[in-house]
Structure formats: structure tokens, C-alpha cells
Amino acid sequence: MVNRVMRKIEKRKLFHIEERRKNRRGKACRIVSLVLLCAMLFGCFPAKVTAQVYWPDPGPVPSYSIAVMEVNTGTILYGQNMDEKRYPASITKILTTLLVIENCDMNEVVTFSDDAVDLNEGDTSHIFRDYGEEMTVEQCLYAAILFSANECSYALAEHVGKKLGGDYQTFIDMMNDRAKELGCTNTHFANANGLPNDDHYTSAADYCKIAAEAYKNETFRIIDGTKNYTIPPTNKHAEPTPMYHQHMMYYPSKSSKYLYDYCTGGKTGYTDAAGNTLVTYAEKDGMTLVCVVLQSSSPQHYLDTRTLMDFCFDNFRLEKISETSRGESDVEEKSMGILNNNESFVAVDEEQYIVLPSSGDVADVKENIVTENMADGTIAKLQFTYGDHVVGSMNIKAKEISQATQIFDEMESEKNEKVVKIKPIWIILILLAIFLLGFGSYYSKKFVDNFYWIKHNREVKRQRKERFKENQPKKKKRRRKDILFK
């Protein structure tokens, strides 16, 4: 009898052990199934992969340092050793001319000092001005750009420096300050004409920024776009002084074989230390390019410029920002007033462009907002990038403050509206209640899920106890009477 009961108990133990194994296997299968299901779901939504964008590159050219920039967007289309410091020679006069234009009237009289004459004679480019000679600012600018007259550049720098309460060095400091404002990091000027000096250097990329800034000035474009100019007689010269443009891609001063149909001007430069340097402007199909060549030779600087200009015109295109449905619409939408019922606080230039490779996709253009080092009136700059290249930007400027008064009036009227205040203690109590509710729900669910298993275990234990009680030998009860008389 006892053996039979023990066998039943043993069978029950084996049964429960097997049940537990099945439950474990079932749980493991459910976990594996869940993992596989997640993998299948994620497989339906592949991760986004950013493809490498294509940027046209014609390969190296013989000139040592060279860069090509699209003027209106500031996009560098091509560069070779473009960040290395090199001597600029007479292309320095582009910045000199720009600063003079910004600080002088064209009819102001410039008087040539002894230094202006003595320090720029000899084996340098000059037009033989005399001590005390008088010329207008306009005449000196044409001489500096067209004929690269060093004494005229020096005299102009002296004139502006004294006009501002300083001297020649004051103008040189202005040149360096302006270069920093334009973002030049490898540039420093020691004179206004580009004569050799160890502390006078620039880079092709930096001077693209300077040359592009100059080209945006209408007066500079007029002067640089003039092919012939004659200085009338002065107080020291009875005869007029004729001049012509020295850039042979623009004017055939010595040869016509380098003429370039799309060239609109530029500036040449040469010293033994700098070699041949060259700045060239060209326009085609609405795109304006500037090419800066440093440390080259003649005529290689012309040949390389032409090659790169043709390549860039053929392989890049302009894209109007407003037509890409990006940038301007997003800025205006984000800057609308309360409930979007008011005009924008900011203004953007709807005519701005970005420059892309001819085969480039506008969808690959990324944008980000830049807020550092903004000019007066500019809140931020929306910068557009294509791969690793900055392809354009758009200034976001504040509008007249009067347009915002309606907003402030509405905000003032809302002060009288009823405001519902919530004490911090109520927030704490609500969070505590949510926590307790979640805690109770968790353990309630756990209890319900295991209710039948718990009930089953208790029933099994009760039955075991009952069987053991049945198999126990019954003890005979001795009567009290027998115990007393024993």
C-alpha cells in the first residue's frame, strides 16, 4: 500500500517537472518568435543611407596655388593648394581700391608725398608721378587698377589714412581688419601695392573672398571693366597720360590669343618673389566666377584660368533658393506671429541662389542656421551645404520694429485673462498616484497570470497531506480507566 502511494507521488513529481520544462520551452519559443517578428518588422523599414554626393573635379593644373569661387554664393568650386600662404604682388591693389572707394569721393584731390614717389620708383610698376603732383581719387584708382601704378596706390592709402586722422599705416590696418571681416585666415598685408615683404601674404581661397567682395561694388566694376583711360594734364605733367588694361584675357594689350569671351575684368601681378599672380572675373548664364592664381608663370596663369573657368561653367549650375521650396518658406513660417495671424518679423532675399553640380539633386542640399558674427541688422544666416561644400547662404534680417507693435499689443491685452495656477504639491501627488497605480497594476496582473498555478499547487499539497494521513497506522487510544488500574 505504501509503495503504491509513493509511486503515485513520484509520478506526480515527474509530471510537474515535465510541465515546468514545457512551460520553459514555450516561453523560450515565444521570446524567439518575438525577436524574429521584430527583425522582420525592422527589415521592412531599412535604415537611411546617405550616398556620397558627386562634386566635379578637373584634376590638378600646373599653377601652384589656385581657387575658383562663384561670386554671389561664395562657393569654392575648385581649389589646389588654396589655403597655403603666398605673396600676392599687385593683385593687392583690388583691396586697396575697394577701401578707397568706400571712404572717398571720386573728385577728392590726392597730393603725392615724397614717400609716395621715392618708395615706388625704380624697377616697379609706376607712371612717373612727381613730388607734390595732384590727381583726383578717380584718376589714381584707374592708374592703380589698369596700369598697376604703385605710387598711386601708396598716395591713395596715405590720403585715406590722413582723412581718417591717421597716416599710411592706418590704411594698412584697415586692410587687415577688412580681411578678417571677410573671413580670411591666411592673409596679412604690410603695404597697399603688393611690393615684396615677408609680412605681406595671402592664400588663393582668402583672396577669392576679397576679390568677390570688391566685385559686388558697382564703382569697382566700372573701373575694372574699363579697357582704356587717359589721365588729363596735371600740375606737374603738361601732357595727358594714356593707359590700357593689362589683363590679356580681357584686353589684348600685348597679344589677343589669350582673350576670353566671358571675362569681365581682373588684375595682374608680378614680382620675382611672388611669380605671376592673377585675378580674373567672368560671367556666363547668370553665373559670376572669380579665379585667383598665385605663384605661377606666364602665360600659364592665363591658360589655367581659362581651363578652370570653362570647366566650372560647364559642370555647375545655379538654383534659385525660393524655387527649391526650402529655406525662405520655412523661415517665414517659423517666424510668424501669434497664431500665424501676423506678418513675419524677418525678411529674406528671395532672389538668392545656390550653386550645384550640373547633375546634382536639390534633395541632397542640407541647411543649418548660423548665428555667430552677424552683421548689423542680420539676425542669422541660413547656410546651405551639398556634401562637404557650402553652396550658398541666405541672410535673415529683422524688419522694422513698428511691424511688431501689434504683437506686443495683443500680448498686453492677454495679461488680463484668467490664468489657472497649479500648486507644486498637486503635481507631486498626481505623479505619486500614477506611480502607485502602475505598481499595483503590474503586481495585479502578475497575480492573475499565476492564480491558477498557485491554486493548483495548494490543491496538490492538500491532497498529499490527506494521503499521508490515510496511510499512517492508527494508534489505539487507551482508556483512562485502563491507565488508572494498570
Side-chain angles (χ1 to χ4, degrees):
M1 183 70 176
V2 174
N3 292 335
R4 187 165 60 252
V5 172
M6 294 301 292
R7 282 196 298 272
K8 287 182 179 180
I9 293 171
E10 190 66 29
K11 286 181 179 180
R12 285 188 177 276
K13 287 183 179 179
L14 294 173
F15 171 76
H16 289 306
I17 292 171
E18 187 65 26
E19 284 294 321
R20 292 192 187 98
R21 288 177 179 173
K22 288 181 179 179
N23 288 336
R24 291 194 190 100
R25 286 196 296 269
K27 188 175 182 180
C29 289
R30 288 194 295 272
I31 293 173
V32 172
S33 300
L34 181 61
V35 172
L36 292 175
L37 178 62
C38 291
M40 292 174 65
L41 289 173
F42 282 111
C44 295
F45 304 99
K48 184 178 180 180
V49 178
T50 303
Q52 184 71 27
V53 296
Y54 169 70
W55 193 263
D57 186 356
V61 293
S63 295
Y64 182 78
S65 179
I66 190 166
V68 181
M69 173 187 282
E70 204 287 317
V71 170
N72 295 312
T73 63
T75 304
I76 294 290
L77 305 183
Y78 175 84
Q80 175 177 290
N81 301 320
M82 65 177 183
D83 293 318
E84 293 194 18
K85 298 176 182 178
R86 288 292 179 270
Y87 298 126
S90 286
I91 64 172
T92 301
K93 297 181 178 75
I94 289 178
L95 180 56
T96 301
T97 300
L98 176 62
L99 292 178
V100 172
I101 291 171
E102 292 176 343
N103 289 277
C104 295
D105 292 329
M106 294 295 103
N107 293 326
E108 291 180 19
V109 177
V110 177
T111 302
F112 285 75
S113 67
D114 292 355
D115 285 344
V117 176
D118 293 338
L119 298 178
N120 296 282
E121 288 185 333
D123 190 19
T124 68
S125 178
H126 60 285
I127 57 172
F128 304 98
R129 297 299 94 176
D130 292 332
Y131 306 117
E133 186 162 358
E134 295 179 350
M135 291 171 53
T136 64
V137 166
E138 180 182 62
Q139 294 165 359
C140 290
L141 288 174
Y142 275 103
I145 289 295
L146 270 63
F147 210 75
S148 200
N150 287 321
E151 77 271 43
C152 291
S153 297
Y154 193 101
L156 285 167
E158 271 190 333
H159 177 78
V160 175
K162 290 179 180 179
K163 181 180 179 180
L164 298 177
D167 53 14
Y168 180 77
Q169 187 58 45
T170 302
F171 187 86
I172 305 306
D173 293 339
M174 289 174 60
M175 295 176 70
N176 288 312
D177 290 341
R178 189 57 175 274
K180 290 179 181 178
E181 289 176 8
L182 294 174
C184 299
T185 56
N186 296 299
T187 295
H188 187 271
F189 298 105
N191 56 62
N193 44 33
L195 291 177
N197 188 304
D198 291 341
D199 204 27
H200 189 91
Y201 54 82
T202 189
S203 68
D206 278 359
Y207 217 79
C208 274
K209 297 175 183 177
I210 294 171
E213 181 71 7
Y215 198 74
K216 295 173 185 177
N217 185 289
E218 183 180 7
T219 302
F220 175 86
R221 291 198 304 273
I222 293 173
I223 294 173
D224 191 45
T226 301
K227 297 180 179 180
N228 295 279
Y229 184 83
T230 300
I231 298 174
T234 69
N235 62 326
K236 296 291 183 176
H237 282 81
E239 299 294 328
T241 305
M243 296 178 298
Y244 49 84
H245 213 297
Q246 300 292 304
H247 198 306
M248 287 194 288
M249 293 181 69
Y250 185 60
Y251 182 78
S253 56
K254 297 177 183 178
S255 173
S256 62
K257 64 180 179 180
Y258 304 114
L259 287 175
Y260 187 56
D261 291 340
Y262 308 113
C263 182
T264 58
K267 182 73 186 74
T268 60
Y270 175 82
T271 65
D272 291 339
N276 284 96
T277 64
L278 187 69
V279 172
T280 307
Y281 299 106
E283 296 181 5
K284 180 183 178 183
D285 298 332
M287 184 183 292
T288 303
L289 302 181
V290 58
C291 180
V292 175
V293 182
L294 302 177
Q295 194 176 328
S296 185
S297 59
S298 182
Q300 193 62 54
H301 57 335
Y302 290 128
L303 300 177
D304 290 345
T305 297
R306 185 188 187 98
T307 297
L308 293 176
M309 289 284 196
D310 284 339
F311 178 86
C312 291
F313 281 133
D314 292 342
N315 289 274
F316 292 92
R317 76 178 196 276
L318 292 176
E319 193 76 34
K320 200 172 183 179
I321 292 176
S322 60
E323 293 177 356
T324 64
S325 299
R326 303 167 67 92
E328 183 254 333
S329 60
D330 293 339
V331 171
E332 290 202 348
E333 182 178 352
K334 292 177 182 178
S335 61
M336 294 294 279
I338 297 172
L339 299 180
N340 279 355
N341 291 325
N342 303 282
E343 292 186 6
S344 172
F345 277 90
V346 299
V348 294
D349 187 357
E350 298 180 2
E351 299 301 318
Q352 283 286 73
Y353 288 84
I354 59 175
V355 60
L356 294 175
S358 299
S359 59
D361 189 350
V362 174
D364 293 325
V365 177
K366 308 300 178 184
E367 57 192 46
N368 63 292
I369 294 179
V370 180
T371 58
E372 297 180 355
N373 301 323
M374 293 295 105
D376 293 340
T378 301
I379 299 173
K381 179 184 290 186
L382 195 61
Q383 191 176 74
F384 299 90
T385 57
Y386 182 81
D388 297 330
H389 301 268
V390 177
V391 294
S393 62
M394 181 170 60
N395 289 332
I396 305 171
K397 297 185 177 181
K399 286 186 177 180
E400 292 292 335
I401 192 66
S402 59
Q403 297 185 18
T405 54
Q406 181 184 353
I407 302 297
F408 297 118
D409 291 340
E410 293 178 6
M411 292 174 64
E412 187 68 25
S413 65
E414 290 177 357
K415 289 182 179 180
N416 298 324
E417 295 181 2
K418 186 177 180 180
V419 179
V420 179
K421 294 183 179 180
I422 301 176
K423 294 182 178 181
I425 186 64
W426 288 108
I427 297 176
I428 295 172
L429 291 174
I430 291 171
L431 293 175
L432 182 61
I434 293 172
F435 172 77
L436 292 175
L437 182 62
F439 185 80
S441 299
Y442 172 76
Y443 280 98
S444 297
K445 184 178 183 301
K446 191 171 184 180
F447 175 78
V448 171
D449 292 342
N450 294 282
F451 174 75
Y452 291 103
W453 176 252
I454 295 171
K455 184 177 180 181
H456 172 74
N457 286 341
R458 288 183 177 178
E459 182 66 23
V460 170
K461 289 180 180 180
R462 187 184 64 78
Q463 290 177 2
R464 287 179 184 173
K465 287 181 180 180
E466 289 180 356
R467 290 193 183 92
F468 276 109
K469 287 181 181 180
E470 291 176 358
N471 293 318
Q472 289 292 332
K474 295 182 179 180
K475 293 183 179 180
K476 292 182 180 181
K477 292 184 179 180
R478 298 176 65 182
R479 290 182 299 175
R480 183 179 182 82
K481 181 179 176 181
D482 294 337
I483 297 171
L484 290 173
F485 295 96
K486 185 175 178 180

